[in-house]
Amino acid sequence: MAGITIATGAVAAPYAAMVVDAKTGAVIHEENADTRLHPASLTKMMTLYIAFQAIQRGEIGLDSEITIPAQAAAQPPSKLGLRTGQKIKFRYLLRAAAVKSANDAATAIGFAISGSEEAFAKRMNATAQAMGMRNTTFVNQHGLTANGHLSTARDMTVLGRHMIYDFPQYYNLFSRRTADAGMKQVNNTNRRFLDAYKGADGIKTGFTNAAGYNLVASAQRGDRRIIATVFGGTSTANRNAQVMKLLDKGFASQPGAPSTPAPSLVAAAPALGATSGAHTIRVSGVVKRSLRPQQRPGSAAAPVQVATATGIEDALAAALLVSSAPAAAAQPEAEPARVAVAAAPAPSPSPAAPVTDLSDMAPETAELFAEAGIAPETSPEPRPTEMIMTAAAIAPVDASRMQAVPEVVTRVSTSGGRLWGINVGRYNSRGTAERVLIQTALNEPGALDGALRRVTQRSGGFDANFMGLTNEAADLACRRLQARGAMCFMIGPS
């Protein structure tokens, strides 16, 4: 395919480019797309992806106090200026890494989640493989040049696409021109491009002498989103100009067919053996490919409870507002409910009740909506149907770091064969558990149709359960949630 070329200098880094339709994954343009090159700070997309994943899985919280290790404080610029032994909230490290591209913040994120740079790099590589990034190897969290730390334009485009659709509640970080990083206000390294191109909303810049000027960029116009990646620009201005040309080419093209076929129905789970007495089954069979099952025809059994879209919207809006009340001041931003390690497709969720003006809210409430990516009259884009990720390939999580440990319920009283349920986690507050249930119901309306949302207080927290399901419906719901990387336990009748 004829490529868009750039002016080259005597010390120009190798050039590579990739353009895709974000929704379908169809390739619009590629040049040297599989050449392994230095990604520079594009690396931080994976660091942040795993950080968002860790929050979703309860390994760490946005308000967790992180003690800065010497290895992080010693990183060269760009940096936030962290000091050895300093304590800072995890949210500020995320902002510094995403907006300022701070190397010390990125390193601190890795240590906070995995305990060392090496352990975190293993998790980065396992996640990359699960995404299908076949030509990428990471050895650090920040992207400074190192032996073996390489990626490709194609792989970084894949990562950018997952960032957009797997974590829409955090994606707005990449479009902020400035952000409060706790110690100081920081400016976005990508603000020139964001200001210059219509519809641009991210994602990440990168530069080292070995890499040149890199950028993974995304822009949306109408219902079309294009992602363009450039490696090896000769300057910020040159790189931005090339990316704009590539995005223009993408928007001028006709929407193509998906680059991979839509997933087919997952093979049925093995039949359950005979049991006696109270029992609980955890659906944990390892599959080679976590595909989303097709929706099955509705059951003729009378539903125990059917939550209306309006009711869910109202409850979600109320739950979000409750989280900013003084009683929840210790945790102003609740851990998000969307568990999206896997990029399995989901029906378009009903948007939360629209907010007319964030300026009318209390500051804590307005920040909660902003952090969650809920803008006035907007809602997250639906995930493309062919984005598949093998959750089983991701490195196992250290159980000692988990904050939400599900505990099963062994009895439910209902009728019509709807004697089963599922547990989707244990949380520190009833409000958080309610939000998880509401958001899960929004994400999986087909699988959880007719389920009764129930929060049960236990000695270690509040269990979030869906009850009143048939055996088949509970199995389907758990497999769909596990395809997203969520922990899910089936609750059997006694």
Side-chain angles (χ1 to χ4, degrees):
M1 179 181 294
I4 295 175
T5 59
I6 63 171
T8 59
V11 293
Y15 176 79
M18 186 86 175
V19 184
V20 301
D21 184 301
K23 184 176 295 185
T24 66
V27 176
I28 299 167
H29 168 87
E30 60 180 291
E31 182 174 348
N32 300 325
D34 294 310
T35 301
R36 281 165 57 84
L37 302 170
H38 298 287
S41 285
L42 301 187
T43 300
K44 295 185 178 78
M45 286 195 295
M46 180 59 81
T47 300
L48 289 161
Y49 186 97
I50 294 176
F52 300 153
Q53 177 193 99
I55 295 170
Q56 299 282 37
R57 297 168 73 165
E59 299 171 65
I60 198 166
L62 285 166
D63 285 317
S64 296
E65 291 283 344
I66 307 304
T67 301
I68 302 303
Q71 295 93 326
Q75 294 301 321
S78 172
K79 60 192 300 182
L80 183 59
L82 298 170
R83 302 179 304 278
T84 302
Q86 173 187 352
K87 292 184 180 297
I88 188 170
K89 289 184 177 180
F90 193 62
R91 70 172 74 244
Y92 296 135
L93 297 178
L94 299 180
R95 294 173 184 174
V99 176
K100 183 177 173 59
S101 196
N103 296 323
D104 52 356
T107 303
I109 289 170
F111 273 82
I113 294 173
S114 297
S116 70
E117 186 172 70
E118 294 75 16
F120 192 78
K122 289 181 180 178
R123 182 161 174 175
M124 294 171 77
N125 289 322
T127 305
Q129 287 298 307
M131 282 184 184
M133 298 170 63
R134 301 305 181 208
N135 295 303
T136 295
T137 51
F138 295 111
V139 300
N140 60 49
Q141 291 95 71
H142 39 66
L144 294 173
T145 304
N147 289 336
H149 190 91
L150 299 168
S151 187
T152 68
R154 188 184 309 279
D155 283 358
M156 282 296 159
T157 303
V158 168
L159 175 56
R161 192 172 177 227
H162 274 284
M163 183 69 79
I164 292 168
Y165 288 108
D166 290 358
F167 293 106
Q169 68 269 45
Y170 293 118
Y171 180 65
N172 74 92
L173 275 175
F174 298 99
S175 63
R176 296 185 186 185
R177 272 57 172 184
T178 63
D180 176 11
M183 297 171 58
K184 65 178 77 171
Q185 199 78 8
V186 294
N187 295 322
N188 196 319
T189 59
N190 199 27
R191 60 190 181 277
R192 292 183 187 176
F193 170 76
L194 293 171
D195 291 337
Y197 194 81
K198 179 182 176 182
D201 56 12
I203 306 178
K204 190 71 191 72
T205 62
F207 169 77
T208 62
N209 289 331
Y213 292 81
N214 299 348
L215 176 61
V216 177
S218 176
Q220 183 168 14
R221 294 179 181 176
D223 62 354
R224 190 118 188 259
R225 179 180 289 278
I226 302 297
I227 301 174
T229 299
V230 162
F231 277 60
T234 58
S235 67
T236 298
N238 168 268
R239 174 196 66 197
N240 290 351
Q242 294 306 313
V243 168
M244 291 178 192
K245 289 180 183 178
L246 292 169
L247 288 171
D248 285 344
K249 182 172 185 176
F251 284 116
S253 67
Q254 294 298 316
S259 59
T260 58
S264 57
L265 183 66
V266 174
L272 299 174
T275 58
S276 61
H279 60 281
T280 302
I281 298 94
R282 177 180 181 182
V283 180
S284 59
V286 177
V287 294
K288 293 183 178 179
R289 213 172 177 212
S290 298
L291 307 181
R292 176 179 178 164
Q294 297 174 353
Q295 185 170 337
R296 301 180 183 179
S299 171
V304 175
Q305 174 179 327
V306 178
T308 63
T310 301
I312 292 176
E313 293 166 7
D314 293 343
L316 178 58
L320 285 170
L321 290 173
V322 166
S323 70
S324 66
Q331 191 175 3
E333 291 183 29
E335 296 172 11
R338 179 189 296 270
V339 182
V341 178
S348 298
S350 301
V355 181
T356 56
D357 188 355
L358 293 180
S359 64
D360 292 336
M361 295 183 177
E364 298 86 352
T365 306
E367 181 169 346
L368 174 65
F369 275 81
E371 289 287 358
I374 301 176
E377 308 292 344
T378 63
S379 60
E381 299 175 63
R383 183 176 285 105
T385 57
E386 81 290 351
M387 291 180 68
I388 301 165
M389 185 170 172
T390 307
I394 296 178
V397 178
D398 182 353
S400 66
R401 296 176 178 269
M402 298 295 287
Q403 294 178 345
V405 181
E407 181 176 313
V408 299
V409 178
T410 59
R411 181 179 296 274
V412 56
S413 175
T414 182
S415 61
R418 303 173 73 88
L419 305 173
W420 295 75
I422 64 172
N423 174 279
V424 294
R426 171 171 291 180
Y427 301 90
N428 294 330
S429 69
R430 182 177 295 275
T432 301
E434 289 285 1
R435 285 193 297 277
V436 170
L437 290 172
I438 292 168
Q439 189 63 62
T440 303
L442 287 170
N443 291 339
E444 292 291 350
L448 296 172
D449 184 31
L452 175 66
R453 298 192 303 274
R454 179 174 298 170
V455 176
T456 303
Q457 186 171 3
R458 301 274 170 183
S459 59
F462 294 84
D463 284 355
N465 302 324
F466 287 96
M467 309 304 296
L469 296 167
T470 63
N471 187 336
E472 182 183 58
D475 172 60
L476 172 62
C478 257
R479 285 191 285 120
R480 284 186 171 180
L481 291 172
Q482 287 176 338
R484 295 177 180 273
M487 290 189 300
C488 178
F489 295 84
M490 286 177 61
I491 302 171
S494 58

